[in-house]
Amino acid sequence: MGPRRSAASACGRLLLPLLLLGLSGFFQSYAVEVDIKDASNATCLYADWMMRFLIKYESDNGDYKTTTLNLSSSVTHNGSVCGNDTQAALVAVQFGEGHSWSINITKNNETYQGDFITLTYNTNDTAVFPDAKRKGPVTVLVRDPSRPIQLNTVFVCHNSFVIEAENTTQIFWNVTMQAFVQNGTVSKKESRCPADTPTSAPTVPPTIANVTTASTTTLSPAPTTGPKPVENPDTGNYSLKSGNKTCFLATVGLQLNVSQEKPLLININPKTTVADGACGNTTATLKLNDGNSTLIGFTFAVKNTSASAQKFYLREVNVTLLNRLNGSVISSADNSNLSKWDAFLGSSYMCQKEQTLQINENVQVHTFNLWIQPFLVESNKFATAEECIADSDLNFLIPIAVGVALGFLIILVFISYIIGRRKSRTGYQSV
Ligand SMILES: *[C@@H]1O[C@H](CO)[C@@H](O)[C@H](O)[C@H]1NC(C)=O
Ligand SMILES: *[C@@H]1O[C@H](CO)[C@@H](O)[C@H](O)[C@H]1NC(C)=O
Ligand SMILES: *[C@@H]1O[C@H](CO)[C@@H](O)[C@H](O)[C@H]1NC(C)=O
Ligand SMILES: *[C@@H]1O[C@H](CO)[C@@H](O)[C@H](O)[C@H]1NC(C)=O
Ligand SMILES: *[C@@H]1O[C@H](CO)[C@@H](O)[C@H](O)[C@H]1NC(C)=O
Ligand SMILES: *[C@@H]1O[C@H](CO)[C@@H](O)[C@H](O)[C@H]1NC(C)=O
Ligand SMILES: *[C@@H]1O[C@H](CO)[C@@H](O)[C@H](O)[C@H]1NC(C)=O
Ligand SMILES: *[C@@H]1O[C@H](CO)[C@@H](O)[C@H](O)[C@H]1NC(C)=O
Ligand SMILES: *[C@@H]1O[C@H](CO)[C@@H](O)[C@H](O)[C@H]1NC(C)=O
Ligand SMILES: *[C@@H]1O[C@H](CO)[C@@H](O)[C@H](O)[C@H]1NC(C)=O
Ligand SMILES: *[C@@H]1O[C@H](CO)[C@@H](O)[C@H](O)[C@H]1NC(C)=O
Ligand SMILES: *[C@@H]1O[C@H](CO)[C@@H](O)[C@H](O)[C@H]1NC(C)=O
């Protein structure tokens, strides 16, 4: 029996409280289980998962703060429905002081797929948003970036994965979910998420509206001879679109250096990394999500100069690392006071050599084969590049400059010697 005419006699079970150690001490993490039954009392939609949200909000004094919104112990799932060929399935949960989350799921004859994820958080909740400037509900809508799942297959993802949308980071882990369940039985066939497959099989990145991740060039890293700790990262090509026009281009290999108890080098895998962000006239942000619990954001700005030829520069970099097993924040670093990678507006910035960006005392970002243009991209191509000093032959020019200066000095000494001689000679003559 299919899930026809589902009166949705919803039946939610209680939650599994879990005490987890987070960065900022202990906090509770709850699993949500939603088991929706159809008119014949058979399961037609099943979901069991854990999630939390990192939310950036404006505080009373105008600063932006990031808070963590966790599920509370009491979660309801009013409004969840089975769906059918014409109506989307819906998993909707409500928790805490006026917060809610939902995903609607559509099917075709072979697959089912999330359509939109809706998060509503209420900044009236003073426990979570103690000093929010604006109080009331904020709704964030984001297209589900996941790939379609075969019908009669259950989606499973033990490792955490992340969806970013307008000032929020939504973190999910330990997910088991099947919509359009057949015959009332959750399938034994599993569809695993990329984060669960350690041998990183090249996955096609999900397409997010207005965002593309271009193909990747793999600059073959030097073969591992000797005890080289980590190879250089592969170079990825990322771009952002505004409408159907490319507005941001970046080619870069990225490596993170995170020192917790001991230094840890993490290479960003371009094959699983998805670009998101926003273009603007005076600021532009590129957000990279490696699908494996690492998020890096780069914000560029145009320099406030009165000069007619304006320059852009890298103003801010933030890095968020999550525990892959429980979605807790391992590290969250932000440096919004950078002044790097500057070039004239209308050109691009290039630095092939390794560059280091210091985000805070524990986190560094190393870049390789960098070529980036955050503004005024025309016809999907990089404009003329301004190269960094490390790349240019200036290094090699320095000894020459010193040599030339020395030469000048010698000539100067020689000239003054000649003049001196001539003066003394005329001196003799006048006597
Ligand atoms: C799908 O479900 C809706 C609401 O439950 C119902 O009105 C509609 O008739 C159903 N359509 C089909 C094709 O079963
Ligand atoms: C559905 O099944 C449960 C037990 O599995 C039972 O308690 C409940 O009364 C049933 N509901 C209907 C509408 O048959
Ligand atoms: C599924 O639908 C598509 C069109 O939407 C059609 O081309 C395809 O043949 C269908 N597949 C099956 C198995 O019915
Ligand atoms: C899913 O929900 C979003 C937001 O409410 C809505 O815009 C969209 O039309 C829905 N999709 C379907 C297939 O119902
Ligand atoms: C938020 O709280 C204020 C006062 O505390 C109240 O006036 C307002 O109606 C609340 N808004 C919502 C959406 O709960
Ligand atoms: C998101 O943050 C930006 C500032 O970074 C702010 O201008 C914007 O209003 C915020 N949006 C929401 C929905 O809170
Ligand atoms: C559901 O039951 C029908 C008839 O009993 C059977 O033909 C079909 O294969 C079953 N589907 C699944 C997924 O078990
Ligand atoms: C995910 O990250 C871990 C730790 O950095 C790494 O060992 C693993 O290979 C990564 N998986 C993929 C698919 O990139
Ligand atoms: C891009 O986003 C805008 C709104 O942000 C939307 O109107 C437009 O349809 C999107 N374009 C594509 C190709 O998705
Ligand atoms: C982009 O969109 C404009 C109108 O919105 C259209 O005229 C143009 O042909 C489109 N270009 C491409 C490459 O699709
Ligand atoms: C950005 O620049 C374009 C073209 O110069 C202009 O049409 C648009 O109004 C500008 N937008 C803002 C917000 O200044
Ligand atoms: C994931 O769920 C399983 C049971 O569904 C549970 O045993 C395990 O502890 C959970 N893992 C985490 C990190 O919550």
Side-chain angles (χ1 to χ4, degrees):
M1 279 290 129
R4 300 189 110 240
R5 197 138 308 205
S6 49
S9 68
C11 146
R13 272 197 268 142
L14 253 178
L15 313 154
L16 168 72
L18 269 175
L19 216 53
L20 290 169
L21 183 60
L23 193 71
S24 53
F26 287 93
F27 57 83
Q28 281 186 304
S29 218
Y30 297 95
V32 199
E33 187 178 45
V34 174
D35 187 349
I36 311 292
K37 313 268 185 185
D38 63 15
S40 58
N41 213 6
T43 295
C44 57
L45 186 148
Y46 179 82
D48 184 344
W49 77 104
M50 299 178 94
M51 63 179 171
R52 77 165 53 96
F53 310 99
L54 305 179
I55 299 171
K56 197 167 86 172
Y57 68 99
E58 192 176 5
S59 71
D60 281 331
N61 59 18
D63 289 347
Y64 279 89
K65 291 189 174 175
T66 300
T67 189
T68 303
L69 175 60
N70 281 303
L71 291 190
S72 51
S73 57
S74 56
V75 180
T76 57
H77 50 74
N78 301 327
S80 299
V81 295
C82 289
N84 54 31
D85 287 345
T86 52
Q87 198 202 11
L90 182 71
V91 180
V93 294
Q94 302 83 34
F95 56 97
E97 301 287 316
H99 313 296
S100 62
W101 181 90
S102 70
I103 179 169
N104 54 7
I105 305 158
T106 59
K107 75 168 191 167
N108 63 26
N109 51 11
E110 282 161 5
T111 60
Y112 63 99
Q113 182 172 28
D115 191 19
F116 276 92
I117 290 171
T118 308
L119 167 67
T120 299
Y121 54 93
N122 192 345
T123 54
N124 255 17
D125 184 347
T126 48
V128 182
F129 307 95
D131 48 1
K133 191 170 190 173
R134 278 172 300 157
K135 303 216 180 271
V138 180
T139 295
V140 172
L141 200 64
V142 60
R143 191 175 267 283
D144 179 9
S146 313
R147 286 167 296 166
I149 301 153
Q150 290 294 313
L151 282 176
N152 197 34
T153 302
V154 60
F155 173 77
V156 176
C157 195
H158 286 314
N159 284 296
S160 63
F161 63 98
V162 166
I163 295 173
E164 281 195 285
E166 236 192 298
N167 303 346
T168 67
T169 303
Q170 308 188 16
I171 307 156
F172 305 90
W173 70 101
N174 228 5
V175 179
T176 302
M177 197 274 292
Q178 187 182 349
F180 309 105
V181 174
Q182 289 168 19
N183 298 351
T185 322
V186 173
S187 181
K188 295 271 186 295
K189 267 190 285 172
E190 289 186 356
S191 169
R192 283 299 185 112
C193 61
D196 278 8
T197 26
T199 47
S200 59
T203 51
V204 181
T207 26
I208 298 171
N210 282 332
V211 173
T212 57
T213 303
S215 62
T216 53
T217 32
T218 308
L219 297 179
S220 52
T224 40
T225 44
K228 202 173 172 238
V230 175
E231 296 178 346
N232 281 359
D234 288 348
T235 305
N237 293 322
Y238 309 103
S239 64
L240 299 179
K241 286 192 172 193
S242 168
N244 61 4
K245 188 178 175 296
T246 300
C247 57
F248 195 125
L249 282 173
T251 294
V252 64
L254 289 163
Q255 183 179 70
L256 298 180
N257 187 348
V258 185
S259 45
Q260 295 293 305
E261 299 88 50
K262 53 181 181 170
L264 171 70
L265 287 178
I266 301 167
N267 281 347
I268 300 300
N269 179 0
K271 293 194 185 93
T272 58
T273 301
V274 177
D276 193 353
C279 294
N281 289 352
T282 54
T283 61
T285 300
L286 177 70
K287 294 185 195 169
L288 299 178
N289 177 351
D290 81 337
N292 194 10
S293 303
T294 305
L295 305 163
I296 310 178
F298 297 90
T299 299
F300 288 82
V302 174
K303 268 184 189 160
N304 243 344
T305 53
S306 49
S308 54
Q310 285 188 302
K311 287 189 139 191
F312 68 80
Y313 69 105
L314 176 68
R315 187 176 69 189
E316 178 171 0
V317 175
N318 54 48
V319 174
T320 305
L321 282 180
L322 303 165
N323 183 320
R324 300 179 66 219
L325 290 174
N326 66 18
S328 64
V329 176
I330 295 172
S331 178
S332 179
D334 191 345
N335 186 345
S336 57
N337 203 11
L338 289 166
S339 186
K340 299 255 186 190
W341 302 358
D342 67 331
F344 284 109
L345 214 51
S347 55
S348 57
Y349 179 82
M350 182 184 269
C351 203
Q352 306 274 309
K353 296 251 167 61
E354 179 177 351
Q355 297 283 293
T356 298
L357 300 167
Q358 192 76 41
I359 314 306
N360 67 15
E361 59 273 21
N362 294 325
V363 179
Q364 289 179 338
V365 177
H366 301 298
T367 65
F368 301 83
N369 303 313
L370 173 73
W371 195 8
I372 198 157
Q373 187 173 348
F375 299 103
L376 302 177
V377 173
E378 292 298 339
S379 51
N380 207 4
K381 283 206 285 280
F382 280 109
T384 323
E386 289 186 36
E387 281 197 72
C388 59
I389 294 170
D391 276 7
S392 67
D393 291 335
L394 280 186
N395 279 335
F396 152 78
L397 282 176
I398 288 169
I400 295 181
V402 171
V404 168
L406 268 175
F408 266 116
L409 210 72
I410 290 167
I411 291 168
L412 218 75
V413 169
F414 185 70
I415 288 172
S416 33
Y417 167 76
I418 300 271
I419 291 173
R421 263 183 69 115
R422 196 174 285 166
K423 261 201 184 136
S424 48
R425 208 181 293 149
T426 47
Y428 283 128
Q429 278 171 356
S430 66
V431 171

